[in-house]
Amino acid sequence: DMAPAGSTRAKKGILERLDSGEVVVGDSGFLFTLEKRGFVKAGLWTPEAVVEHPSAVRQLHTEFLRAGADVLQTFTFSATEDNMASKWEAVNAAACDLAQEVAGGGGALVAGGICQTSLYKYHKDETRIKNIFRLQLEVFARKNVDFLIAEYFEHVEEAVWAVEVLREVGAPVAVTMCIGPEGDMHDVTPGECAVKLARAGADIIGVNCRFGPWTSLQTMKLMKEGLRDASLQAHLMVQCLGFHTPDCGKGGFVDLP
């Protein structure tokens, strides 16, 4: 029974835990794991499974919880109106319900997650992109998730827009970029990225995906130094790949053959 282990911390929020020095363990890798299990289509990488195969999503949440995760993230990666048309709202709502159902059995926190849009590279329309983020945020706020994560951003400008939107509801905000030590796709260094995100109001800053543990730690070192040099403070987080990437270039594993 996992409940006793988590029950003493159930009422502590993410920032309270981090401020007290606790190391908080998250989950990750839903898309790849469920793709391997046959529930996500490679290429599309959208989370219809939360409504089409909820038992598979519930099972993976449960596996992460039993493995020791303190945070369960909603399976809402790319679950935006521009990617999923009319299905987006049902998917976001169902994803919150599934994560909260499993988290409630183990004292874990639930984080509502958004990611970079497919629009930014082609149309840097700040108003339109922020509205896309805001639609997901409205569902997360209605479902009362514990905190928010903006993840997988290649460009710090769009990540800043995401943070600005997520801050609108008053919940703690985490943000991660899918960059390595060379910085974002516009050559903004990791240190500069961290400073911009902290000044936008992010409580937790870091990297996710694309690179392995050691490369990710190098990037985090640069982010930490950038924050220190600017006399800024933020909690730090890493959601790296579960394998090493010594032969990756600036774009990480997605650029490999």
Side-chain angles (χ1 to χ4, degrees), residues 64-133:
F64 276 120
L65 184 70
R66 294 190 64 83
D70 300 304
V71 175
L72 301 185
Q73 196 168 328
T74 59
F75 185 32
T76 48
F77 188 92
S78 289
T80 54
E81 182 191 31
D82 63 315
N83 285 328
M84 304 193 74
S86 61
K87 294 185 286 188
W88 74 270
E89 187 168 10
V91 165
N92 280 271
C96 291
D97 291 342
L98 286 168
Q100 287 172 324
E101 174 192 335
V102 176
L109 299 173
V110 172
I114 67 171
C115 67
Q116 68 179 8
T117 67
S118 53
L119 297 177
Y120 179 83
K121 288 182 183 177
Y122 311 103
H123 308 287
K124 294 179 186 176
D125 184 335
E126 180 178 355
T127 300
R128 186 176 175 198
I129 288 170
K130 281 187 169 181
N131 283 337
I132 288 172
F133 294 148

Side-chain angles (χ1 to χ4, degrees), residues 13-194:
I14 184 67
L15 297 182
E16 188 181 356
R17 295 183 187 200
L18 293 171
D19 287 341
S20 70
E22 183 178 336
V23 175
V24 177
V25 178
D27 62 3
S28 197
F30 260 71
L31 279 171
F32 287 166
T33 305
L34 289 174
E35 188 271 334
K36 290 174 183 174
R37 296 179 183 185
F39 297 106
V40 167
K41 291 180 181 177
L44 292 176
W45 300 119
T46 48
E48 287 90 347
V50 296
V51 291
E52 295 176 359
H53 305 285
S55 60
V57 176
R58 185 183 297 109
Q59 171 67 23
L60 187 51
H61 278 311
T62 302
E63 289 176 41
F64 276 120
L65 184 70
R66 294 190 64 83
D70 300 304
V71 175
L72 301 185
Q73 196 168 328
T74 59
F75 185 32
T76 48
F77 188 92
S78 289
T80 54
E81 182 191 31
D82 63 315
N83 285 328
M84 304 193 74
S86 61
K87 294 185 286 188
W88 74 270
E89 187 168 10
V91 165
N92 280 271
C96 291
D97 291 342
L98 286 168
Q100 287 172 324
E101 174 192 335
V102 176
L109 299 173
V110 172
I114 67 171
C115 67
Q116 68 179 8
T117 67
S118 53
L119 297 177
Y120 179 83
K121 288 182 183 177
Y122 311 103
H123 308 287
K124 294 179 186 176
D125 184 335
E126 180 178 355
T127 300
R128 186 176 175 198
I129 288 170
K130 281 187 169 181
N131 283 337
I132 288 172
F133 294 148
R134 200 169 283 117
L135 287 172
Q136 283 187 278
L137 175 62
E138 288 169 358
V139 179
F140 299 150
R142 188 169 76 240
K143 292 293 185 177
N144 198 30
V145 299
D146 297 299
F147 70 103
L148 304 159
I149 299 178
E151 67 175 356
Y152 200 78
F153 284 84
E154 297 174 304
H155 303 93
V156 71
E157 181 179 49
E158 189 182 19
V160 164
W161 294 348
V163 170
E164 289 171 349
V165 170
L166 294 185
R167 278 177 48 81
E168 292 173 1
V169 296
V173 174
V175 57
T176 54
M177 299 190 66
C178 52
I179 62 172
E182 293 181 54
D184 87 345
M185 293 302 163
H186 287 154
D187 297 318
V188 182
T189 67
E192 291 176 276
C193 287

